[in-house]
Amino acid sequence: MNDEPGDSPALPELIAAAAGVLRDSQCLVVLTGAGISKESGIPTFRDALDGLWARYDPQMLATALAFMQDPKLVWDWYQYRRTLLAGAQPNPGHTAIAALQDLLPQVVVVTQNIDGLHHLAGSRDVITLHGDIRRSKCFYNCQGDPTYIDVEQLEWDPEAGPPSCPHCGRWVRPDVVWFGEMLPQAALARARELSEAADVMLVVGTSGVVQPAAGLPAVAKQHGAAVIEVNPEHSLITSFADYHLHGPSGVILPQVVDILRAEHPDA
Ligand code: NAD
């Protein structure tokens, strides 16, 4: 029941139907991407290329090779993205996802985002597949994987590039998973297991192009889960989603939660 042209139901009916599916869920996995944080003022990858950065391709900047070739360029791009994030707060979409914890037996958030906003919104069980932009680590993980470095404690000349690791003297890098790198294996394994076990997967604000996270909704569907997508655009998930709730997550998700809360006024 997605929103292909023709005789598709109106959005309020779709929202009510999706809430009905969620009401019966025993194991809900919520997969999120950059779109859920857009209403917190954080640009998606495609949007984050204004001004100075307009001539760069993020897929070319977000790689270990790019960092090795030009550490200052890549470090500066992440510093720029950190400034975009400074002060960002969870929006009603993040808050609605956190509220689901008190309405359903099991809710696990699997996020591709590196902005930490699900934690800030109060979600308790969050699997971060792509790291956290606020953290930094030794490029070589010289003290074990990961070797986190608190750059606030370091003194260095930003004009010269990234700081040096206090242990080995080599580069410090952002703690994010770059294109071509392995995801944290324990996190990915748990996300896969949960996708197989889920009876509902809620997919919010992801274009479905970045693997392996993009493959999780298909895994859930193959194992019998209902797939509910929230996105103002069509994505690679839309064609097999059971429900496509067409609109911004900060508008749609609070409506879903309101319906569920009306049935559990104490939650
Ligand atoms: P993407 O940029 O490829 O796609 C974003 C999706 O969100 C699109 O389908 C878009 O239609 C949808 N969208 C836009 N506004 C929305 C809204 N208000 N509500 C719901 N959906 C909305 O993002 P992706 O699929 O997450 O993949 C890009 C990669 O970039 C990921 O690996 C992610 O780690 C990284 N990234 C993360 C952040 C962040 O942490 N906030 C920001 C930019 C990029």
Side-chain angles (χ1 to χ4, degrees):
M1 208 189 283
N2 56 36
D3 67 346
E4 290 304 312
D7 56 352
S8 53
L11 184 59
E13 290 169 37
L14 278 175
I15 292 174
V21 171
L22 284 167
R23 179 194 303 123
D24 296 331
S25 171
Q26 297 298 309
C27 177
L28 171 67
V29 173
V30 186
L31 175 67
T32 66
I36 188 154
S37 295
K38 196 164 171 173
E39 290 156 88
S40 295
I42 302 172
T44 66
F45 248 5
R46 278 93 195 139
D47 296 331
L49 292 170
D50 54 353
L52 180 63
W53 298 102
R55 63 204 165 95
Y56 294 101
D57 176 352
Q59 301 220 14
M60 302 302 288
L61 288 171
T63 70
L65 183 62
F67 185 76
M68 289 166 85
Q69 286 174 340
D70 195 339
K72 176 168 164 46
L73 176 77
V74 174
W75 180 262
D76 285 352
W77 186 55
Y78 277 92
Q79 289 298 88
Y80 160 72
R81 294 185 63 201
R82 284 168 169 149
T83 62
L84 295 177
L85 192 59
Q89 292 299 318
N91 67 57
H94 297 103
T95 308
I97 289 172
L100 290 173
Q101 295 167 148
D102 298 323
L103 294 161
L104 301 174
Q106 187 183 10
V107 179
V108 182
V109 179
V110 178
T111 189
Q112 302 167 81
N113 292 347
I114 53 180
D115 56 31
L117 292 183
H118 285 298
H119 287 104
L120 266 182
S123 282
R124 291 186 288 269
D125 195 352
V126 183
I127 301 175
T128 45
L129 291 179
H130 291 172
D132 186 333
I133 196 172
R134 295 172 208 253
R135 287 192 308 243
S136 300
K137 64 183 182 181
C138 171
F139 185 80
Y140 293 97
N141 282 321
C142 66
Q143 305 297 303
D145 189 2
T147 299
Y148 293 128
I149 306 295
D150 182 358
V151 294
E152 301 292 324
Q153 304 300 319
L154 303 179
E155 280 185 21
W156 86 101
D157 174 12
E159 291 306 311
S164 302
C165 172
H167 305 292
C168 69
R170 295 176 289 183
W171 295 312
V172 169
R173 59 167 277 181
D175 178 32
V176 297
V177 176
W178 281 331
F179 291 105
E181 290 187 318
M182 301 267 284
L183 272 62
Q185 290 305 289
L188 180 60
R190 183 160 180 249
R192 281 212 176 107
E193 272 169 29
L194 282 160
S195 300
E196 292 177 8
D199 50 21
V200 184
M201 181 175 277
L202 179 59
V203 185
V204 186
T206 180
S207 56
V209 297
V210 179
Q211 295 291 353
L216 296 175
V219 170
K221 178 96 180 175
Q222 281 155 11
H223 285 78
V227 174
I228 301 170
E229 182 185 40
V230 181
N231 197 316
E233 308 287 340
H234 281 228
S235 74
L236 294 182
I237 315 296
T238 310
S239 63
F240 65 88
D242 297 284
Y243 301 89
H244 178 206
L245 308 182
H246 188 107
S249 44
V251 174
I252 302 277
L253 290 174
Q255 295 181 49
V256 173
V257 167
D258 283 348
I259 293 171
L260 295 173
R261 272 214 182 107
E263 297 162 6
H264 296 273
D266 299 334

